[in-house]
């Protein structure tokens, strides 16, 4: 049974920082990736960042790559998304999601999802 639980969301001023966390259990890290995905108003879900469990390589969507970082503890859980220089357009619900390597070639690869955590960026 795979479980992903997000936390760390809240209210922050523009230019401020938040660190989200994702506790993961029951997931095969040796052949998987864990990503952060956020809800885009009127456009559904949008990919934000990914870390590969095997190589620890990280990837970011263009609008956040200079501001966000992703990392894990030694046990690969929790997974962290450090968000700096936050903008009002970053305000939305953030989800962590897991996918097997073999699923990355399909359009919607993520089979495992957390409940989401709300991030609000406002002065």
């Amino acid at each position: 049974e795979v479980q992903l639980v997000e936390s760390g969301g809240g209210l922050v001023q523009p230019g401020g920082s938040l660190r989200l966390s994702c506790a993961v259990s029951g997931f095969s890290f040796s052949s998987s990736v864990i990503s952060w995905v956020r809800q885009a108003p009127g456009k559904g879900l949008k990919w934000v960042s990914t870390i590969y469990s095997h190589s620890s390589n990280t990837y970011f969507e263009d609008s956040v790559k200079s501001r966000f970082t992703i990392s894990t503890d030694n046990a690969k859980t929790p997974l962290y998304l450090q968000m700096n220089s936050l903008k009002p357009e970053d305000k939305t619900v953030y989800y962590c999601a897991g996918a097997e390597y073999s699923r990355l070639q399909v359009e919607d690869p993520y089979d495992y999802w957390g409940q989401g955590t709300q991030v609000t960026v406002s002065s």
Side-chain angles (χ1 to χ4, degrees), residues 67-118:
R67 302 182 292 123
F68 292 7
T69 59
I70 188 170
S71 63
T72 65
D73 288 339
N74 290 336
K76 301 293 184 181
T77 186
L79 172 76
Y80 300 108
L81 181 68
Q82 179 67 46
M83 305 186 296
N84 301 319
S85 302
L86 283 163
K87 305 175 180 179
E89 50 262 45
D90 296 319
K91 174 184 179 297
T92 187
V93 178
Y94 287 73
Y95 302 88
C96 57
E100 300 292 331
Y101 287 154
S102 62
R103 292 278 293 165
L104 296 179
Q105 299 180 29
V106 305
E107 184 175 353
D108 299 313
Y110 301 104
D111 294 318
Y112 311 107
W113 294 82
Q115 297 276 48
T117 186
Q118 176 70 53

Side-chain angles (χ1 to χ4, degrees), residues 6-12 18-20 36-39 41 83 86 88-95 115-122:
E6 302 95 334
S7 62
L11 174 65
V12 64
L18 282 175
R19 189 180 74 168
L20 307 183
W36 287 96
V37 179
R38 64 185 178 183
Q39 194 169 38
M83 305 186 296
L86 283 163
E89 50 262 45
D90 296 319
K91 174 184 179 297
T92 187
V93 178
Y94 287 73
Y95 302 88
Q115 297 276 48
T117 186
Q118 176 70 53
V119 171
T120 300
V121 184
S122 176

